[in-house]
Every structure is written in C-alpha cells, then in structure tokens.
Amino acid sequence: MLDVKTRVLDNYVGGRWTPALAPAELLDVVNPATGAAIAQVPLSGAADVNAAVEAARAALPKWRAVSTIARAQRLFELRERLAARAEDLARAVTTEMGKTIGDARAEVARMIEMVECACAVPTTMQGRILEDVSRNIDAETIRQPVGVCAAIVPFNFPAMVPFWFLPFAIACGNTFVLKPSEQVPMTQQIAFEELDALGLPPGVVNLVNGGREVVESLLDHPGVDAISFVGSAPVAKLVYERAARAGKRVQALGGAKNHIVVMPDAVIDRTVEGIIGSAFGAAGQRCMAGSVVVTVGEAHERLIGPLTEATRALHVGDGMRDGSDVGPVISCSARDRIAGWIERGVDGGARALVDGRAAAGELDPAGAFLGATILDEVTPEMEIAREEVFGPVLTLIRAASLDDAIEIVNSSAYGNGSSIFTESGAAARRFRHEVQVGMIGVNIGVAAPVAFFPFSGWKDSFFGDLHAHGPDAVEFFTRKKTITSRWFSSGQGSGSYFVEPAGATGQ
Ligand code: NAD
C-alpha cells in the first residue's frame, strides 16, 4: 500500500521542477526487493513533451554561444557534483532497480566516467583543415551541434545509460530531453538535482517522466532533431523506423543474447568467476550478460563441477544487504515470466543443474526474487538458447570445435557481445576476427567498453550507424559543415577553384 505522503515525481522543464501537466496515470515506483511503493511517477503526455522541446529549442542559441571550453568546464563541475552524490545515486539504483549495492556503485562509477570522457570535447569536437586544396584556396570541416536531442532509456541501468548521451550531447552544444524508464525514475531525479544546481541556462537539460505516449510524442515532434534509444529489440526497431521516417538522426540500441565460449585450455577458476559475474550480476538483467556458455570439447567436463558449485553458493536477497550476490529482478511479473522460461526450457529437454525457482521459494514472496539457474543439455535451436530471457538463467551448449562454437555464436539474431576464455592467442585471434558481434571479450566476462570507446552492438542489437559514447558520441551529436574559402585582398586569390592555371602543378 502506498503511503499517502509518498512523493509524486516532477518533471524538469525549462530549468524548473514542474508537475506533469495532465498525466494519463500515476504509476507506483516499486522497490523490487520488498514490493513497497516508494514514489509515484506520472505518465506525462504530449503537452509535457511539447513544453520540454520548446524549452530546449529556446535554450539552443544561448547554449551554443557558450564557448566549448566553458561548456567542458561545466561538465568538470558536474563530475564533482555527481561524485559527491555517488552513494545517494547508488542507493537509489538499488532501491528502485534491485541490483546489489556493489553493482550499483560500479554503475555510478561508469556514469561519472561518461562525464569525464565528455570533458574532452574541446579536443574531440575539433574539425579538420587542408590548406591549398586549390591554389590559395583552403577547405575545412567544422562540427556544429545537431539541435534538440532526446534520449529514451531502459530500466536496467538507471544511472549510467542516460549518461551515455546527456553529457556528450550538451558538451557538443546541443540541448537535451531525457525520458527515463517509468520503472526506475528516481535515480535521474538525483542527477537532475545536480544538473539544476549547475545553473545551466534554463532548457539546456529537461526531464519528462512517462511511457509510450512520451516516446511517441518525442519521435514525431518536429522540434526534436535526434533520438537516442536503449531498450528491447522490438521497441528499438520501431523507434528507429519511426524517428527516421520523421527525418531525425537516430541510434537505437536493442536487446541481446550473448555467448561465452570456453576452450579446453581455459583457466577454469578465473573462467568460472567471469561467467558468474556475467550471467548473474544484476540478476542477469544486463544487455551484456553472458547467457549462453558454449563449451568446446572437454571444457564441458572441466567447467561444469566448479560452475555449478559456485552458482549454488550465490546468495539471493535484498541488494542493499551485505552478502547478497543476486538481487531481485525488476518486478514480480518479470520474475514469473523468467520462471516460465525455465519451465519451458526443462519441458523442452534441458536439464536444470541449478534451479533458481527453489531459492525464490525461501524468500519473501512480495520481493521479485529468483535464484541463479543453470540449464544444461541445451541445443542451439531451442528457444531458450535463442531468445533474450533477461534474468539469472544460464544455458550450456556443447560444441565439438572452435569452428562449431563460432557458428553457434553467429547463428544468433543478436550481435551485442561475446567472450572467449582461452590461453591460446590463435583461438582468440580467430574468434575476434570471425565472430559477428560488436563487442568482444578475451578472458573478460562482461566486455562492456569504457566511456572512451563506442558501445558497438551489431545485428538486432543495434539499429543505426553511430554507436553510444566514445568517439561515436561526438559524431552523433554534431553535424559537419565544410567551408571552402579564399581571400582576394591578400594578393594570393587569383586562379580558378575548379581549373588549375596552366603550369600550376609545376609540370
Ligand atoms: P523496453 O524496450 O521495454 O523499454 C525501453 C524504453 O522504451 C522505456 O523507456 C519504455 O518506456 C519505452 N517503451 C517501452 N515500450 C514501448 C513502446 N511500445 N513504444 C514506445 N516506447 C516504449 O526495455 P526495458 O525492459 O526497459 O529494458 C530491457 C531491455 O533493454 C533488454 O532487452 C536489454 O537487452 C535492453 N538493453 C540494451 C542495451 C544495449 O546497449 N543494447 C543496454 C541496456 C538495456
């Protein structure tokens, strides 16, 4: 039951906290470890989007006129402010999303790293120049902001994923509208308190809470120039198509099914550590979670004992408590959906080496708990091996050779991440060369790139051209303009641009 005093979250529009104008509904924000409502989030509508976009458009000339170096300096200040609130941010992540506090702290560190990377904008936003493209004529390409940029983000990284976009967009001179996931809107309230305290010109950053209606209004709004989306693959595809149809620049990051290939020469204890962190960290709710282990040859026999033992030792519980290794999943309906996957997997012929449904039975049913699960004897064509489960469920597939393993990885519709555990440089070289995914780990369980490299999914894991963060962020958040120029009064301006005068090449 919701306490009557429970806070209804505001939007942040034009430099002010403001209630949603006419919300279609107020949704409870629920702590998935306890089932308690901790706030209410408004499902804002088109009028709220319009107000935010108008504020962002109005702020554009003023923000663009701030020097690039001064914009970077504001980000230095933001970095300090977020670092000072890091523990509040991490606790908000755990409270609304469920991941363990250790995982949440690591997420917040990554969020802050995004701001650090964006601080390099006076260097990364530089253009290029070539003197004398024709006699006494110079050509140069400069980068300018795209305009009003909007981001729509998922539930699983309430702190970090919005910051894959926000700091880079504003560093490049754009203004910004964020729509957080309606399931986890609290963390960005704290981030926006710090953005508010920065005293940016009103309208540079805006926050509109809501769901599908807000998304569709942003996609269709003529005042929005660019859309960044992160979420499930079907919605990513819809967003990509609809935004592109409206003539917007768009990047849409989708779901995943990531494979971890284990070679017979892998260092087993470190491999088990890597797999456990990848498959069960954040209760498997990461787009870079390894959810299929493909063992090559005798790797299976070497791995299965230690992996099962380590999985059984994981402690399921409230992410805020010391000693919890696996927190709840996002909601009780997600827990039931994932349990359904396990049931269908077993019915389809998989063997449950560890069944997380039992662990769940021992915990408070109001919490969305499900223990880590391992399904062995899975084959590549089974649904559980192909579809994204997005929970703490790991499937094991056997392959006879590295060739077979690569074929299994490449048969997936998704192409986010894949890792190999081996001590063979030759195997690792072949794997990175042939595997059709955008992010590869070699003896790394979660090969999510740091802020300074692009988050570069392929296939159904990504729709667009330019990826999130790293150098791609500056490409995405700027437009190129090329200028060709000469100056007659310098006395050097003679000659035609298109036709070199006879003898000009010295021949
Ligand atoms: P989701 O697709 O349900 O929601 C993502 C966002 O889209 C939310 O803000 C939501 O309000 C909005 N939305 C949902 N349905 C919509 C619709 N029909 N029309 C318009 N907007 C809609 O995803 P989720 O459950 O919040 O997040 C989990 C998914 O995100 C997983 O599939 C995961 O793999 C993926 N993800 C991908 C990456 C990546 O980098 N590729 C990163 C994190 C999460």
Side-chain angles (χ1 to χ4, degrees):
M1 277 297 285
L2 185 68
D3 178 342
V4 279
K5 290 196 218 87
T6 298
R7 164 179 169 213
V8 176
L9 302 183
D10 282 338
N11 294 334
Y12 183 80
V13 175
R16 247 190 228 132
W17 290 104
T18 161
L21 293 170
E25 204 183 321
L26 294 177
L27 282 187
D28 286 355
V29 182
V30 174
N31 177 340
T34 62
I38 48 179
Q40 285 195 308
V41 62
L43 295 189
S44 308
D48 297 289
V49 170
N50 202 41
V53 174
E54 274 180 10
R57 284 226 85 78
L60 257 179
K62 202 163 179 192
W63 184 236
R64 200 193 144 186
V66 173
S67 79
T68 316
I69 292 169
R71 291 199 305 263
Q73 284 164 346
R74 309 320 304 277
L75 288 167
F76 274 97
E77 190 185 333
L78 177 62
R79 190 250 170 240
E80 293 307 302
R81 288 184 169 280
L82 294 175
R85 298 288 303 273
E87 190 59 19
D88 293 345
L89 287 158
R91 293 177 80 83
V93 167
T94 297
T95 306
E96 65 179 350
M97 187 273 169
K99 67 178 67 171
T100 61
I101 189 72
D103 256 353
R105 288 182 183 129
E107 174 183 346
V108 171
R110 248 322 140 78
M111 169 203 204
I112 293 170
E113 184 188 280
M114 297 295 153
V115 183
E116 291 165 354
C117 183
C119 286
V121 72
T123 304
T124 54
M125 203 176 155
Q126 288 175 15
R128 314 179 72 160
I129 180 161
L130 181 64
E131 198 182 40
D132 289 326
V133 289
S134 188
R135 179 181 289 196
N136 299 321
I137 294 179
D138 306 328
E140 64 197 291
T141 295
I142 59 173
R143 292 179 182 278
Q144 297 187 337
V146 175
V148 174
C149 301
I152 299 146
V153 292
F155 79 79
N156 63 331
F157 282 99
M160 178 186 75
V161 168
F163 274 65
W164 281 359
F165 310 108
L166 185 151
F168 297 101
I170 64 171
C172 292
N174 302 281
T175 56
F176 193 78
V177 181
L178 175 68
K179 191 212 81 73
S181 163
E182 63 275 37
Q183 296 187 91
V184 295
M186 308 285 287
T187 306
Q188 287 302 315
Q189 296 270 317
I190 299 175
F192 270 71
E193 281 167 23
E194 295 311 313
L195 283 157
D196 182 53
L198 270 187
L200 300 172
V204 171
V205 290
N206 305 274
L207 172 82
V208 182
N209 286 298
R212 183 174 175 164
E213 192 182 338
V214 171
V215 175
E216 292 179 348
S217 303
L218 285 168
L219 299 179
D220 296 343
H221 200 296
V224 175
D225 299 292
I227 295 280
S228 302
F229 174 88
V230 184
S232 57
V235 183
K237 192 157 188 277
L238 283 174
V239 165
Y240 181 70
E241 289 171 355
R242 189 155 170 170
R245 208 175 309 123
K248 301 184 196 314
R249 181 174 289 206
V250 50
Q251 51 182 187
L253 288 71
K257 189 79 182 173
N258 306 308
H259 298 76
I260 297 177
V261 172
V262 182
M263 297 297 287
D265 67 348
V267 175
I268 287 297
D269 55 341
R270 304 304 304 274
T271 303
V272 167
E273 248 175 61
I275 294 173
I276 295 275
S278 182
F280 304 129
Q285 300 164 112
R286 289 192 192 122
C287 68
M288 288 295 281
S291 54
V292 184
V293 163
V294 184
T295 50
V296 174
E298 67 202 37
H300 200 87
E301 291 319 311
R302 294 187 61 218
L303 183 72
I304 200 161
L307 182 63
T308 306
E309 197 182 319
T311 303
R312 288 210 177 102
L314 292 173
H315 193 268
V316 184
D318 187 333
M320 207 61 95
R321 289 220 187 97
D322 277 350
S324 291
D325 301 304
V326 180
V329 295
I330 184 64
S331 63
C332 290
S333 64
R335 173 198 62 199
D336 298 343
R337 180 184 56 76
I338 300 162
W341 272 108
I342 299 171
E343 189 173 327
R344 288 195 300 284
V346 171
D347 288 350
R351 188 162 67 95
L353 294 180
V354 187
D355 189 336
R357 292 173 295 181
E362 293 160 17
L363 288 154
D364 178 0
F369 295 106
L370 186 65
T373 297
I374 302 185
L375 299 180
D376 194 12
E377 292 169 27
V378 171
T379 54
E381 57 287 345
M382 284 165 67
E383 220 192 344
I384 191 134
R386 309 197 71 79
E387 302 291 328
E388 182 177 48
V389 174
F390 221 56
V393 180
L394 179 66
T395 52
L396 304 186
I397 296 181
R398 291 168 203 240
S401 63
L402 179 57
D403 279 346
D404 290 349
I406 291 174
E407 202 178 309
I408 291 166
V409 177
N410 288 346
S411 71
S412 174
Y414 296 105
N416 225 32
S418 188
S419 295
I420 186 168
F421 281 83
T422 181
E423 290 303 297
S424 158
R429 170 71 174 60
R430 271 207 50 216
F431 185 79
R432 61 184 270 173
H433 187 68
E434 291 179 26
V435 158
Q436 291 162 18
V437 309
M439 291 169 278
I440 299 278
V442 177
N443 296 316
I444 301 282
V446 183
V450 293
F452 307 86
F453 289 81
F455 197 93
S456 40
W458 287 12
K459 293 161 85 177
D460 283 0
S461 297
F462 180 71
F463 303 91
D465 309 285
L466 296 168
H467 294 278
H469 60 78
D472 280 32
V474 175
E475 287 286 340
F476 186 81
F477 289 117
T478 57
R479 289 192 288 192
K480 296 191 199 84
K481 185 179 272 179
T482 299
I483 303 124
T484 307
S485 57
R486 64 180 162 191
W487 298 95
F488 297 118
S489 56
S490 69
Q492 298 179 313
S494 59
S496 155
Y497 174 35
F498 289 108
V499 185
E500 281 284 285
T505 55
Q507 288 165 351

